[in-house]
Amino acid sequence: MPPKVRGVLIAGNWKMNYGPKETEAYFRAMAAQAPSLPSDKLRACLIPPAVSLATAQHLASQNPFPITIAAQNAHWELKGAFTGELSGPMLKEIGLSTVLIGHSERRQFFGETDETVRKRADSLIAQGFEVILCIGETRAEREAHQTEAVLRRQLDEGVSAAALSSGKLIIAYEPVWAIGTGLTATPGQAQEAHAFIRGHLKKTHGAIADKIVILYGGSVTPENIDSLLACPDVDGGLVGGASLKPESFLALLSKVGRTFW
Ligand code: PEP
């Protein structure tokens, strides 16, 4: 297997699942099953819903292996009349330093646009957060051979030069047709999209593109993670369904560890 030069990040997005009690049970089960990560080049992250963030952050500090807790979204303003939103300072107060932005479910159901994605990412990065920024095409866009045009637009309009050069930006390529559908992109499709993303960033922003971590998301499982990660431009996974059980989240981590180190 080719060496993973940018390390590997496995991030589990719980979406609208697990309140504080279930979060506690998850961490208890995880701690009982796994005393360590298989490599220090492998990084684990969980992304619980807002109400469980403080609990998860507290439990992560006691977990036998390091695990980053990230929020599923945050606003670009620091405070104010934005009902239902979270701010960077609030997340900092409970010890968080990573935020997911622009997930396709936010774009599809909650009116997120490339412009609001860029505003959120830029503000959070300026506040010192690491941002995982999601992009990806729908099935109709892929079938209309628009994949590269969509990715190009999402990158040009959603990703600023400041975000890219901060060293705090992670991109997650998530083909919308593969999210929660059981339809995974083939390793060839994933590599093609990831190479396009890196190549486009190189063209627009130069050598920094080689350092950007690009995750793949869309029906990642312990069974397919190794073939996806074998692609040179795939630096990890953003995982929904397979992160909901501690056993399968741990199986993903240990499969990556067994395959790559
Ligand atoms: C996701 O939530 O970002 C995701 C990729 O979900 P799933 O792994 O279930 O397809």
Side-chain angles (χ1 to χ4, degrees), residues 193-243:
H194 283 230
F196 174 79
I197 293 165
R198 202 178 299 288
H200 183 67
L201 292 177
K202 209 164 192 166
K203 224 185 292 164
T204 50
H205 297 278
I208 187 81
D210 288 325
K211 296 210 167 84
I212 300 291
V213 167
I214 309 177
L215 310 181
Y216 167 80
S219 299
V220 171
T221 64
E223 288 70 46
N224 61 26
I225 185 72
D226 49 352
S227 59
L228 289 161
L229 273 177
C231 303
D233 285 297
V234 177
D235 306 314
L238 179 54
V239 186
S243 73

Side-chain angles (χ1 to χ4, degrees), residues 11-15 47 100 103-105 134 172-184 216-221 237-244:
N13 174 18
W14 287 357
K15 311 191 187 194
I47 315 175
L100 183 72
H103 191 277
S104 67
E105 288 151 15
C134 304
Y173 168 62
E174 297 208 302
V176 180
W177 49 271
I179 298 178
T181 58
L183 288 175
T184 317
Y216 167 80
S219 299
V220 171
T221 64
L238 179 54
V239 186
S243 73
L244 287 178

